[in-house]
Structure formats: C-alpha cells, structure tokens
Amino acid sequence: MCWYGPHRYLNEFIRENLCGRIMEIGVYNGENAVGMVRAAKKGRPASEVEYHGFDFFSSYSTERIGGKLDETGCRHALFEGNTLDTVPEAARILQPMDIIFIDGGKSFSEAWSDWEGAAKLMHDGTGVFIHNVDFAGVEKMVRSIPRDIYDVEMFNPRFEGKVALIRKKPSS
Ligand SMILES: C[S@@+](CC[C@H](N)C(=O)[O-])C[C@H]1O[C@@H](n2cnc3c(N)ncnc32)[C@H](O)[C@@H]1O
C-alpha cells in the first residue's frame, strides 16, 4: 500500500492555494518533488518556487535529485541525513512553508519528530499532508495531534491507503 511518486491531492492543494514554499520529508527518487514544483509553477514563476527536501539520500543522491530539480528552474535545498536530526535543525532556521508532505520514517518517534518540526513551520494557511496513516507509528502520531489547535481531515486516495491533512484551526 506504499505509493512512490506524484500524488494528485498535493498538486491540487498547491494549485488551489498558489503554494510557492514546499517541504517534503522523505524524497526518495524525487519524482513527487518534481510533480509538486510543476504544480506550483502554474501559479507563479519558477524562480519564486522553493522546494525543501529531507532524506538520507542513500538510494538517490542529492546530486541526482538536485539535477532533476534544476531542470524545473525552481530554487531548492536538500537536507541529507536522519530527519530526527535534520528536521528539528532546519525548523529553527527556515521560513514558514505553504505545504508540507510528511512521508519519511514510519516509526512513532520519527513521525512525531517530523510532525513537531513541520508544526513549527506552519503559517495560518499551511497544509500538512501525512502519508501512510495506516502504519501504526504514523497512526499514533496523527492521533496525538492536539485537536484544539489543529483540524485533522482524513481521506483515502485510490491505491494509497490513508492520508491526513492537518491545518491550523482559524482561532489558534
Ligand atoms: C516513501 S519514501 C518517500 C516517497 C516520496 N515522498 C514520494 O512521494 O515519492 C520514504 C523516504 O523516506 C526516507 N526516510 C525514511 N526514514 C528516514 C529518516 N529517519 N531520515 C531520513 N530519511 C528517511 C527514505 O530514505 C525514503 O526515501
């Protein structure tokens, strides 16, 4: 039930919300990264699209993924290493994102750390999508997100299993 590659709901959110600042935790082969950047380019020039990707980059190197992103003309930064380290570090220095896709490690400790980093980078309109909510660790992470601060919407894209969309409640 694991799907690698472009996810239509991400591209729809990007187009509808004119997203320019994109973050992906778990990049793998970079195909989804390129898909999201292409969607963002429909709403603004490539030079105004920024992609931030986090992964070990062990199967696909940063050079290889960077090359794919260069072809889109976007600005990009790739953070190599364990997201338990890289995401909290980056969350201290990066500006807020318009969309964040959490699709890295599936254990509770990885998923919760990724969520905590993502939460620090949310503005009022940010959409945080969480992949593979069917995995026990990810499910526990989504269950632990405080409902008094965040709206949590669950949906089932075809062939993908459960996905969660997290947004700040208007009053929070
Ligand atoms: C499901 S794939 C990502 C797929 C990609 N988002 C897509 O839609 O095509 C998961 C990725 O997360 C990375 N990953 C898993 N745990 C990680 C961790 N703790 N730190 C860094 N990367 C991790 C793996 O290297 C893998 O490339």
Side-chain angles (χ1 to χ4, degrees):
M1 219 194 292
C2 194
W3 173 266
Y4 294 176
H7 306 283
R8 189 194 296 181
Y9 49 89
L10 299 177
N11 299 340
E12 282 171 4
F13 185 93
I14 288 169
R15 285 198 300 269
E16 280 166 19
N17 295 281
L18 299 176
C19 297
R21 295 183 55 76
I22 300 168
M23 174 166 163
E24 183 173 33
I25 302 177
V27 176
Y28 187 55
N29 63 8
E31 288 304 306
N32 185 58
V34 169
M36 290 196 288
V37 168
R38 286 201 184 122
K41 279 168 56 178
K42 296 206 191 300
R44 58 178 71 231
S47 59
E48 289 179 16
V49 177
E50 272 190 42
Y51 172 86
H52 306 79
F54 296 76
D55 207 298
F56 289 121
F57 296 106
S58 45
S59 309
Y60 293 85
S61 66
T62 50
E63 289 74 23
R64 206 156 157 202
I65 303 297
K68 288 187 185 190
L69 289 164
D70 282 343
E71 285 173 23
T72 69
C74 78
R75 298 163 67 185
H76 55 83
L78 299 175
F79 299 80
E80 186 172 4
N82 195 323
T83 64
L84 286 169
D85 304 316
T86 56
V87 169
E89 279 165 24
R92 283 197 282 274
I93 52 168
L94 294 176
Q95 297 298 306
M97 301 290 159
D98 299 323
I99 182 169
I100 301 173
F101 186 39
I102 300 182
D103 191 19
K106 308 301 175 192
S107 69
F108 176 72
S109 58
E110 289 168 304
W112 185 252
S113 171
D114 292 347
W115 156 251
E116 282 190 316
K120 290 196 172 78
L121 293 171
M122 289 174 81
H123 56 65
D124 289 347
T126 304
V128 177
F129 288 84
I130 301 171
H131 204 215
N132 295 133
V133 182
D134 316 73
F135 285 65
V138 182
E139 194 272 334
K140 184 177 170 192
M141 176 268 262
V142 171
R143 210 171 355 105
S144 308
I145 292 174
R147 274 26 182 200
D148 55 331
I149 303 176
Y150 302 99
D151 283 322
V152 179
E153 185 189 326
M154 218 70 91
F155 59 100
N156 286 274
R158 259 184 112 197
F159 310 125
E160 284 196 51
K162 255 190 261 173
V163 174
L165 167 58
I166 318 296
R167 281 185 276 207
K168 276 189 182 175
K169 278 191 184 296
S171 56
S172 67

